Amino acid sequence: MSEFLTLTVIMATIASGIRLATPYLIAALGETVGQRSGVLNLGVDGVMQLSAFFAYWTVLETQNLILGVLAALAVGLIMGLIYAVVTVSFHATQGISGIGIFLFGLGFSDLMFQRQVGTPRPIKQLQEYGIPFLSDIPQVGPALFEHNLLTYAAFLMVPIVAWVMRSTTFGMNVRAVGENPQAADSLGVSVARTRYAAILIGNTMAAIAGAALVLQLGIFQPNLTQGLGFIAIALVYFGAWRPVGVMGGALLYGLVNATVLQWKAQGIIPRSASDIAAMAPAVLTIIALVVLAGRVRPPSALTRPFTRH
Amino acid sequence: MTPPPPQTGPPLLEMRGITKRFPGVIANQDVDFDVRAGEVHTLLGENGAGKSTLMKILFGLYQPEEGEVLLRGEPIDITSPSEAIDARVGMVHQHFMLVPTMTVAENVALGIKSDRGPLTDLDAVSERIREISEAHGLAVDPDVEVWRLSVGERQRIEIVKALFRDAELLVLDEPTAVLTPQEVDDLFVILRRMTEEGRGIIFISHKLHEVMALSDRITVLRNGRVTGHTVPAETSRENLAEMMVGRAVKLSPHRPDVTPGAPRLKIRGLSVVGDRGTRAVDQVDLDVFGGEILGIAGVSGNGQRELAEVVAGLRKPEPGTSIELDGQAIDSASTRERRDLGLSYVPEERMRDGAIGDFTVSENIILVDHGSEKFSASGLLNFGAIKDHCNKLVEQFAVKTPSIETPTSSLSGGNIQKVIMARELSAGPAVLIASQPTRGVDIGSAEYIHERLVEQRDRGTATLLISEDLDEVLGLSDRIAVMFEGRVVAIVDHDDATREGIGLLMAGVFDEEPATT
Ligand SMILES: Nc1ncnc2c1ncn2[C@@H]1O[C@H](COP(=O)(O)OP(=O)(O)O)[C@@H](O)[C@H]1O
Ligand SMILES: [Mg+2]
């Protein structure tokens, strides 16, 4: 009987790990596309923050989840456009521009929240849908095949992004521009246009990640992301700029997070130590990054603005 | 093949009165240049003469301030590489324009509209690449990733890229800089075949014997201006050098006979792991005698750089390596201790390892011994002594600089190298390691640096000269060691060394008796 209970607990933890992994995965996949084109965006967290707020506010006012996601998308497009203009057209240093985007997202979402909402009120959450038949498998079914649409979309995007990068001319251009923009330019590939597109993809995905986060929680608060966007950037390195690797990192992160939460709830971790335990995922990521360092190589032109002269 | 078209009508390319300025320099001034179908027209000039700039204008990478470009008699305004490609101009850039992480086929397909819309069509591209490589004798495998390929192979891909786009006019910017003599011969055969098909070729080089061998016509640039036109039959290497430099130059220095002394640098069983994690140098034994220059010949990437770095103390060798300087073991000595024992090092990457760009000329000159009592007392620099020392060296080494307080990065490559040479030779070293001492350096400075190296040898220094410029190795060395895949495969005396013989050894042909070609 107690064994049964343990299995149930494990399955519940896995389900919650997958759910927790969703925003990381979407944001990190988007950042992967951007980085493969040679553009590092440290502003992911800010974009997530801001789009999470607008998704929340829209749903609060309209009770319409789809409108909420669309609002987040619009925020992502605008932020992406700003970032592209600054870093691609004006060749600004990517590191500091990204930090600017982050601070803006953090501050502006807070300001908007204080003015427009004030005290947190819950909103409609994303609903979970079981995949027919698969979700009926005992134990495993509900854990793996009963999730919200954004979670499904996130995992579906893994093969899609991999395929786009590998098999389309756009993907080829992105890779070329990230490795050797001079070479791409000499063959008539527009470095600027390719990077604009990659940045817009990266930012809209960060925005969807923000929406996923807030719509899974059903509530907004200032600094909702708590650095989640930065972890997503680390996951891109962790995954060696490959969608499947990034997915592995996001899942690991989500599962460790879920386990820590579970243990806290069950009292396995004493209250006093729970803050330290909460650092476990971050520590794991750092360890993984140190182990991986030097074995994988970032895109050669990462963070380097392109000019002909 | 199609016969060359008759030489009537307008030339394939005409550039008229081209002027291009960069802040502080006129890279091209009123340059006229033309190419006919079926010929190789060489653009000859020193580093910085403006050759690449002229070609980048043709390719739409730079816009000229003045002048016009005509293709097949029609004026044309080329503002981007894709317009140049559409006009059937192809370019093999001085620095290869390849994406190492992508396959050959992907590199060739970049920028080309795919027949499958948004999807790549790499199978069709691979097929065409095979056809092209067969038709032109360019052996390339479309499916390998570029980083696995040798420089010679990479260059063939660049040519395939141009042919894939059916370039009628092909520019090759210093294509031979990194090739072995055999690869150069192969390249010339390929280029000749292309001119027979009626294509026009612009060949850029500063290697005089190659220019003499390949060109139909030669145009010489100096300081951005055309200083002469000629054809190989009416000129000589000395003559061309004079047109490039503006005065008579000695192409190889006079090497007086010196009886070598005792071995001053003794290397035994030197092995080292390179940056790629594989063994870059494998069990090398070498002796360098006082009063000799031992030249290392080899295609770049065969362990020469790592060898130099180990001896200089910048890279850790594998256990079992022994290095002695005048009988003292130095293999675990610090760079400081090595210097104190009389080791000097002129590094290959001169702006990374040899000098600090933001430092002044005098700061760079005293960089290695500013702590010695000559220049400082109890931690304070003695500016008077430093100034005297530096002024003397700047004069002695003919460094062209406004003053010794000028930032080093604002000097030309040749003068920066003279600053480094001044520093490294002023101590009268026992052993000198000189890596690529004249790469990217103007002929005048190179001539000067060569004389200094020989002079130091005459004074009894043991010099290890590492150079990718085979002419330099042949001209300066008393003995030549050839490196291939990390090993010294042969040591040849100066008098027995020929370009061909060394070239074969560099290409890895050494097991049986040298093949005769
Ligand atoms: N993008 C650039 N910006 C500023 N100066 C340049 C640039 N490109 C070339 N130059 C200068 O123009 C001159 C000619 O350079 P280049 O055409 O590269 O010579 P070459 O190919 O004959 O060695 C040099 O003095 C060089 O420093
Ligand atoms: Mg050049």
Side-chain angles (χ1 to χ4, degrees), chain A:
Chain A
M1 202 63 188
S2 82
E3 214 171 296
F4 178 69
L5 192 71
T6 312
L7 187 62
T8 311
V9 168
I10 289 174
M11 283 305 155
T13 309
I14 289 176
S16 116
I18 290 173
R19 193 164 38 83
L20 287 172
T22 303
Y24 293 105
L25 179 55
I26 302 175
L29 282 175
E31 178 65 9
T32 301
V33 176
Q35 290 200 12
R36 288 299 289 267
S37 83
V39 183
L40 170 72
N41 181 7
L42 290 180
V44 174
D45 203 62
V47 175
M48 288 179 68
Q49 199 87 247
L50 201 56
S51 50
F53 169 75
F54 276 96
Y56 169 77
W57 189 31
T58 307
V59 175
L60 192 66
E61 299 293 330
T62 66
Q63 329 305 327
N64 187 326
L65 290 172
I66 293 175
L67 282 183
V69 174
L70 288 178
L73 265 179
V75 171
L77 278 175
I78 293 166
M79 298 294 278
L81 208 56
I82 294 171
Y83 192 64
V85 169
V86 170
T87 57
V88 178
S89 300
F90 292 115
H91 313 291
T93 311
Q94 290 171 14
I96 202 72
S97 312
I99 291 174
I101 293 273
F102 161 67
L103 291 173
F104 171 78
L106 181 67
F108 191 57
S109 60
D110 193 8
L111 178 76
M112 288 295 287
F113 177 74
Q114 306 300 352
R115 299 196 99 196
Q116 305 298 336
V117 185
T119 43
R121 276 172 285 156
I123 52 164
K124 213 159 101 181
Q125 272 169 284
L126 285 170
Q127 224 180 319
E128 308 199 324
Y129 299 95
I131 298 179
F133 306 115
L134 290 177
S135 59
D136 297 335
I137 305 172
Q139 300 294 348
V140 180
L144 297 185
F145 304 111
E146 211 171 304
H147 288 284
N148 66 65
L149 290 180
L150 285 180
T151 299
Y152 292 133
F155 285 87
L156 207 59
M157 268 190 266
V158 174
I160 292 177
V161 170
W163 174 78
V164 166
M165 294 305 294
R166 195 182 53 242
S167 304
T168 67
T169 50
F170 171 72
M172 205 163 83
N173 290 349
V174 168
R175 284 185 283 139
V177 156
E179 287 290 339
N180 188 347
Q182 269 75 18
D185 180 57
S186 78
L187 293 174
V189 174
S190 167
V191 177
R193 213 177 306 156
T194 308
R195 286 191 171 167
Y196 261 74
I199 291 172
L200 287 179
I201 290 173
N203 277 266
T204 42
M205 289 181 72
I208 296 173
L213 179 70
V214 78
L215 298 181
Q216 281 181 354
L217 285 170
I219 192 118
F220 184 88
Q221 67 186 50
N223 193 12
L224 179 80
T225 57
Q226 299 191 25
L228 189 158
F230 289 100
I231 301 289
I233 296 170
L235 291 177
V236 176
Y237 286 76
F238 178 92
W241 293 269
R242 280 175 185 57
V244 174
V246 167
M247 178 179 76
L251 273 176
L252 177 71
Y253 213 85
L255 288 172
V256 174
N257 251 328
T259 310
V260 170
L261 288 176
Q262 180 65 40
W263 286 350
K264 262 203 250 183
Q266 291 184 323
I268 296 176
I269 309 171
R271 280 238 162 264
S272 53
S274 71
D275 279 346
I276 294 172
M279 292 181 350
V283 172
L284 263 184
T285 306
I286 291 169
I287 292 171
L289 286 175
V290 170
V291 171
L292 288 171
R295 285 205 213 146
V296 292
R297 212 182 39 80
S300 303
L302 187 60
T303 74
R304 292 223 297 274
F306 170 75
T307 38
R308 264 185 202 160
H309 293 255

Side-chain angles (χ1 to χ4, degrees), chain B residues 30-259:
Chain B
D30 198 21
V31 174
D32 293 329
F33 187 74
D34 70 300
V35 182
R36 296 187 207 114
E39 76 164 350
V40 176
H41 192 163
T42 292
L43 199 50
L44 175 68
E46 288 237 55
N47 275 304
K51 307 177 300 285
S52 296
T53 302
L54 188 68
M55 292 303 109
K56 285 180 180 170
I57 288 170
L58 171 61
F59 203 59
L61 287 163
Y62 295 154
Q63 302 308 306
E65 269 92 42
E66 282 159 48
E68 58 175 348
V69 178
L70 291 85
L71 269 178
R72 303 169 194 89
E74 303 284 326
I76 183 168
D77 197 13
I78 303 174
T79 60
S80 74
S82 50
E83 288 170 29
I85 291 166
D86 290 344
R88 298 181 61 196
V89 176
M91 180 135 164
V92 176
H93 294 263
Q94 187 168 359
H95 306 286
F96 291 158
M97 293 291 186
L98 293 168
V99 184
T101 50
M102 305 203 323
T103 66
V104 170
E106 285 179 315
N107 268 282
V108 173
L110 256 183
I112 288 184
K113 254 186 119 64
S114 165
D115 287 341
R116 294 170 60 211
L119 301 186
T120 55
D121 195 4
L122 292 178
D123 291 342
V125 171
S126 297
E127 191 51 46
R128 271 283 319 276
I129 293 176
R130 287 200 186 89
E131 284 167 25
I132 290 171
S133 55
E134 215 154 289
H136 291 86
L138 289 152
V140 296
D141 175 355
D143 301 320
V144 289
E145 282 166 342
V146 168
W147 63 265
R148 297 176 184 277
L149 301 179
S150 72
V151 225
E153 290 171 307
R154 289 182 198 202
Q155 182 162 62
R156 292 205 284 275
I157 300 164
E158 290 285 25
I159 297 172
V160 168
K161 267 160 71 179
L163 290 172
F164 196 96
R165 291 157 176 80
D166 202 16
E168 200 181 358
L169 175 64
L170 184 67
V171 181
L172 295 112
D173 195 348
E174 309 229 0
T176 61
V178 289
L179 301 186
T180 64
Q182 274 68 34
E183 286 174 318
V184 171
D185 291 346
D186 294 346
L187 173 69
F188 284 4
V189 171
I190 292 161
L191 296 183
R192 269 296 152 211
R193 202 177 307 186
M194 289 170 64
T195 57
E196 279 160 22
E197 293 169 0
R199 298 180 211 266
I201 290 179
I202 303 175
F203 176 68
I204 297 183
S205 180
H206 56 233
K207 295 194 182 171
L208 300 170
H209 59 93
E210 290 173 3
V211 171
M212 294 293 283
L214 182 69
S215 316
D216 292 308
R217 288 193 290 154
I218 301 166
T219 292
V220 183
L221 276 184
R222 182 167 80 234
N223 292 334
R225 293 168 184 268
V226 175
T227 54
H229 301 280
T230 185
V231 295
E234 291 170 12
T235 189
S236 64
R237 289 173 53 198
E238 287 70 22
N239 210 326
L240 288 174
E242 193 170 336
M243 283 163 85
M244 282 164 76
V245 182
R247 63 172 172 83
V249 281
K250 275 195 287 204
L251 287 174
S252 48
H254 171 65
R255 290 170 48 258
D257 281 332
V258 170
T259 332

